[in-house]
Amino acid sequence: PRARDLAPRPHGARVDFLPGSPDLSLFPRAAWAAAQREVLAELPHRDLGYPDPRGLPRLRSALAELLARRRGVVADPERIVVVSGVAQAAALVGSVLHARGMREIGVEDPGSPQHDGLYAAAGLRTVPLPLDDEGLAPGPLHASGVRAAVTTPAHQYPTGIACSAGRRTRLLDWARSVDGLLLEDDYDGDFRYDRAPVGALQGLDPERVAYMGSVSKSLAPGLRLGWLLVPEFLADAVVDRKRTMDLGHPSVDQAVFARFLERGDYDRQLRRCQRAYRERRDVLVAALAEHFPHARVSGIAAGLHAIAELPERYGPESRFVRRVAAAGVAVRPLSACTHARGDESAVRLVLGYAHLPAARIREGVRVMAEALDG
């Protein structure tokens, strides 16, 4: 029988605004192939054996330099674990917390729809925690009773809020007060357009923050390459769990990525993507202004998606989504990212734009408007 492909893919929409995907055509094939050839020519035989479960020392050193320089992380190579992405990083930390007696973990609400299933697989029940205009709200966090919480402080997913300096201090104060842990998901912290990058929360207290990141938005999710920086009190348990999970990440892939980092190719890729994604963001904002002139657009200072709140006359939200889907445009309502029941009359959309060329972005917004006028 023929093998089935269970990879999550867009469902054949004419224009797909679903968030979460970079432009895969920007993957630097020539530079990656050159790094691969060089690595295979010089890789010592011993590096083809079972790797250090933390990752190749060469890659961990290169990652430490990158993260300290670009994200303000306190990056000791001995505390870095190379993983297959943020999902595996979360699973590792979650399973270690479960083994230490935790049964609940706080998650931002609205937040990633994947968190419930991801942490449930590690034995943890997710507790939705509300936001305010500075990020994760400290009052409900204290009242929840959780001792671990997941946060996206550089560019909250999906709202785009950048956690304020004062709020970062209060979150860390909470973690210390409950002898707890913050899991920082820095999913798109490299992509800032209108101001200087916001440094990682981990840099303020590396013993209270586990820092997670990957190349899924900067290179391609199919590479399955990411990193986890763990506090000292969790390090040994996380490394042991990684060893039993898969005996370490593929060593050739690690060596290629290390070479890619060392030669400056990764920095060049980030600059290339940043230029492209900023232009596409501007196209989306202009198209919305043309076709939905009273829409409020937010979360656009960084990242690969924007929040568009449309005038009430376009609601209710469920009807809006059905009508534009029938016209061939796939969108994700903000309500799909929250546990709370919101105002159905409001139409608030999470619009991913990074993977779409400018002409397709304009077409998609135009088709949405025509579908509603017809």
Side-chain angles (χ1 to χ4, degrees):
R2 189 172 180 177
R4 291 185 300 145
D5 184 355
L6 296 180
R9 303 191 192 285
H11 46 61
R14 178 175 169 185
V15 181
D16 168 22
F17 280 118
L18 299 180
S21 296
D23 184 348
L24 300 179
S25 73
L26 293 180
F27 182 75
R29 292 173 183 259
W32 192 263
Q36 199 164 44
R37 283 192 301 272
E38 292 164 7
V39 161
L40 289 173
E42 66 186 29
L43 192 71
H45 297 317
R46 66 177 179 276
D47 283 356
L48 292 171
Y50 290 108
D52 183 326
R54 294 172 299 178
L56 294 185
R58 175 184 178 184
L59 177 54
R60 288 186 284 119
S61 294
L63 282 170
E65 189 278 330
L66 173 86
L67 296 171
R69 173 170 52 85
R70 293 194 66 100
R71 304 299 300 122
V73 166
V74 177
D76 179 350
E78 297 300 296
R79 296 280 173 268
I80 293 177
V81 181
V82 177
V83 292
S84 63
V86 169
Q88 187 182 51
L92 285 168
V93 176
S95 64
V96 168
L97 294 178
H98 182 271
R100 296 186 177 201
M102 284 196 192
R103 295 297 179 264
E104 296 180 330
I105 188 166
V107 296
E108 295 172 331
D109 190 24
S112 170
Q114 298 176 0
H115 279 156
D116 290 353
L118 189 61
Y119 289 102
L124 301 176
R125 184 177 72 86
T126 52
V127 176
L129 299 171
L131 311 172
D132 60 22
D133 58 4
E134 295 183 61
L136 193 56
L141 175 59
H142 278 277
S144 70
V146 300
R147 291 180 48 230
V150 188
T151 184
T152 50
H155 184 241
Q156 200 278 331
Y157 184 86
T159 66
I161 295 168
C163 190
S164 69
R167 181 56 47 84
R168 288 165 176 250
T169 298
R170 293 188 68 181
L171 292 178
L172 291 169
D173 287 345
W174 164 81
R176 298 180 197 113
S177 72
V178 298
D179 190 23
L181 180 72
L182 288 160
L183 283 73
E184 179 176 13
D185 180 356
D186 198 25
Y187 70 101
D188 67 358
D190 275 307
F191 298 113
R192 298 205 70 80
Y193 309 122
D194 299 330
R195 56 185 177 223
V198 178
L201 181 66
Q202 189 266 6
L204 301 176
D205 192 342
E207 290 308 310
R208 288 295 168 193
V209 181
Y211 175 86
M212 309 179 289
S214 79
V215 303
S216 292
K217 303 297 186 288
S218 53
L219 286 170
L223 290 179
R224 307 314 304 137
L225 266 170
W227 45 86
L228 167 64
L229 276 72
V230 285
E232 186 174 2
F233 78 95
L234 285 178
D236 289 344
V238 166
V239 173
D240 285 346
R241 184 73 187 93
K242 171 67 175 171
R243 181 185 290 110
T244 58
M245 181 179 281
D246 58 17
L247 294 179
H249 204 72
S251 54
V252 174
D253 294 348
Q254 292 188 66
V256 172
F257 187 39
R259 171 59 69 94
F260 202 75
L261 289 167
E262 292 161 356
R263 298 194 331 175
D265 289 324
Y266 191 65
D267 284 292
R268 282 187 285 275
Q269 171 70 4
L270 289 174
R271 289 193 295 270
R272 181 187 183 202
C273 289
Q274 185 152 4
R275 285 193 301 271
Y277 297 160
R278 179 175 181 162
E279 289 171 3
R280 294 171 192 189
R281 178 208 64 174
D282 292 346
V283 168
L284 175 65
V285 171
L288 287 168
E290 177 185 352
H291 294 286
F292 296 92
H294 299 292
R296 292 176 53 221
V297 185
S298 60
I300 59 172
L304 311 183
H305 68 270
I307 301 291
E309 184 172 352
L310 305 186
E312 203 167 284
R313 66 186 178 87
Y314 291 108
E317 187 177 81
S318 57
R319 173 176 170 272
F320 176 95
V321 172
R322 282 197 307 271
R323 289 190 69 173
V324 300
V329 180
V331 295
R332 175 172 295 163
L334 184 61
S335 61
C337 301
T338 180
H339 295 80
R341 291 195 63 82
D343 178 7
E344 244 290 293
S345 65
V347 179
R348 291 177 297 173
L349 307 174
V350 187
L351 298 175
Y353 56 80
H355 59 295
L356 296 171
R360 188 58 60 86
I361 293 171
R362 294 189 193 97
E363 177 191 3
V365 175
R366 176 181 56 77
V367 170
M368 279 200 295
E370 290 173 353
L372 299 166
D373 290 340

